[in-house]
Amino acid sequence: MDFVKKLFLPITVPMKFIQEHFKAMLFLLILFLVFAPKSEQDLRANNLVQINLVGPIMDATEIVQQIDEATNNSNVKGVLLSIDSPGGAVAPSIEIAYAIKRLKEKKPVVAYAKGTIASGSYYASIWADEIIANPGSMVGSIGVIMQGADLSEVMQKIGIKSQSVQAGKYKKIGTPDREWTEYEKNELNKVIQGTYKMFVADVASARGLDVNKSDFYANAHIFTAAQAKEVGLVDSLGVSYDAKKRVIALSKVIHPVWNQEDKFEQFMKKLAASTAVTLHTYFPAITMK
């Protein structure tokens, strides 16, 4: 009997292993099918990179890291910044803009407006070699805003009173438990106007526009792609195919290979963008939009 068992061990042991670890093996098989290279091209290192800027700009850490990696990667010869964003917080928008400026010093970069390129997301793109806009995209909204809710009546109805201890006349600026005073609005306006002036100056410098004629292209005007081209905010109209073709031409690569973004990462980015919209609704801040 023992002899028979030993005889069939080469068969029974693998079968037992498969039975005990079937789920794990099935999971690994699915992972392999999902992530395995689909073609010979997938095995080659990419020489072009597409970076996606989607949704409200609340934190620039990840996208700046992607831009800097493309900047410092000698294999990468050109970058496409694909944008569909209404703008966002001031500081992160500027972080992206200056990362693109650093990138441009080493290799060509084209910004492509695939849906909305407005306010902070437009700021992020101004130092690209070229800005190409989808004919159906919305462009512009070069302006700055700070908004917040006055919840004093709601608080009064449900019996809630706020209390605080602060030092400094302007320390409670922007709090939602009361209407803002005139001197608080004036103080906020000082910041808003200063930020707007910086925004317009950078756009004029990067795009070669006359800062003294900013009412034509700034002042929070919203343009169609064709109108944006007329005032100098974009260089040409086209679709994703045209934008990629332009990157290839500027990069002078003979055999273009683009990076492939992970589907799970795409899902997580969309989820993060939705969360950012919800948070921004309830927690106001100075934003470009």
Side-chain angles (χ1 to χ4, degrees):
M1 192 69 177
D2 290 337
F3 173 76
V4 174
K5 287 183 179 180
K6 289 179 181 179
L7 183 64
F8 285 95
L9 273 179
I11 299 174
T12 57
V13 170
M15 289 186 64
K16 183 179 181 183
F17 178 85
I18 292 172
Q19 290 175 344
E20 292 178 350
H21 302 87
F22 176 76
K23 291 182 179 179
M25 293 180 68
L26 181 62
F27 177 71
L28 290 173
L29 177 61
I30 293 172
L31 286 179
F32 176 78
L33 293 174
V34 171
F35 295 106
K38 296 179 179 61
S39 67
E40 190 174 310
Q41 178 174 307
D42 293 336
L43 296 172
R44 294 185 299 185
N46 62 284
N47 49 25
L48 299 173
V49 169
Q50 176 175 325
I51 298 173
N52 300 312
L53 176 56
V54 180
I57 303 171
M58 296 300 163
D59 178 68
T61 304
E62 183 180 348
I63 192 164
V64 168
Q65 182 180 352
Q66 291 180 53
I67 296 169
D68 287 342
E69 286 176 355
T71 303
N72 298 320
N73 187 342
S74 60
N75 292 325
V76 174
K77 306 304 180 183
V79 175
L80 175 66
L81 178 65
S82 180
I83 303 167
D84 188 5
S85 165
V90 177
S93 300
I94 295 174
E95 287 280 358
I96 299 170
Y98 278 76
I100 291 295
K101 191 176 183 180
R102 293 191 299 271
L103 171 62
K104 182 184 176 181
E105 293 173 356
K106 291 190 174 184
K107 55 197 70 176
V109 53
V110 171
Y112 170 59
K114 64 180 291 184
T116 300
I117 180 171
S119 204
S121 69
Y122 182 77
Y123 202 153
S125 70
I126 57 175
W127 274 294
D129 289 284
E130 295 181 14
I131 301 178
I132 299 174
N134 182 294
S137 62
M138 302 298 290
V139 185
S141 189
I142 298 173
V144 185
I145 185 174
M146 181 175 186
Q147 60 186 10
D150 178 3
L151 302 178
S152 56
E153 292 186 12
V154 176
M155 293 172 65
Q156 186 176 1
K157 286 181 180 179
I158 61 179
I160 297 176
K161 295 180 180 179
S162 67
Q163 55 185 358
S164 65
V165 177
Q166 69 273 343
K169 180 179 179 180
Y170 301 101
K171 197 61 182 176
K172 288 193 70 177
I173 281 182
T175 53
D177 60 339
R178 61 195 167 76
E179 183 180 356
W180 299 343
T181 65
E182 284 303 312
Y183 73 82
E184 288 175 322
K185 291 177 183 178
N186 291 335
E187 183 72 5
L188 289 172
N189 190 55
K190 178 183 72 176
V191 176
I192 296 298
Q193 293 302 322
T195 305
Y196 176 68
K197 184 177 180 180
M198 174 188 65
F199 192 176
V200 172
D202 278 349
V203 170
S205 174
R207 297 290 305 167
L209 300 173
D210 188 345
V211 72
N212 296 315
K213 296 181 179 179
S214 61
D215 281 348
F216 291 102
Y217 57 83
N219 211 12
H221 285 301
I222 301 172
F223 302 101
T224 64
Q227 292 166 347
K229 185 176 182 297
E230 288 179 7
V231 298
L233 292 183
V234 303
D235 297 290
S236 61
L237 275 57
V239 293
S240 178
Y241 172 85
D242 302 304
K244 286 188 172 183
K245 190 175 179 181
R246 192 62 187 139
V247 174
I248 293 169
L250 292 173
S251 305
K252 299 178 181 178
V253 296
I254 299 174
H255 302 291
V257 180
W258 291 89
N259 64 314
Q260 299 292 325
E261 187 174 34
D262 183 84
K263 292 181 179 180
F264 179 74
E265 288 182 3
Q266 287 180 330
F267 169 75
M268 292 304 295
K269 285 179 181 178
K270 289 181 180 179
L271 181 63
S274 301
T275 304
V277 171
T278 304
L279 290 174
H280 179 62
T281 302
Y282 296 99
F283 300 96
I286 297 176
T287 55
M288 293 175 165
K289 67 176 189 176

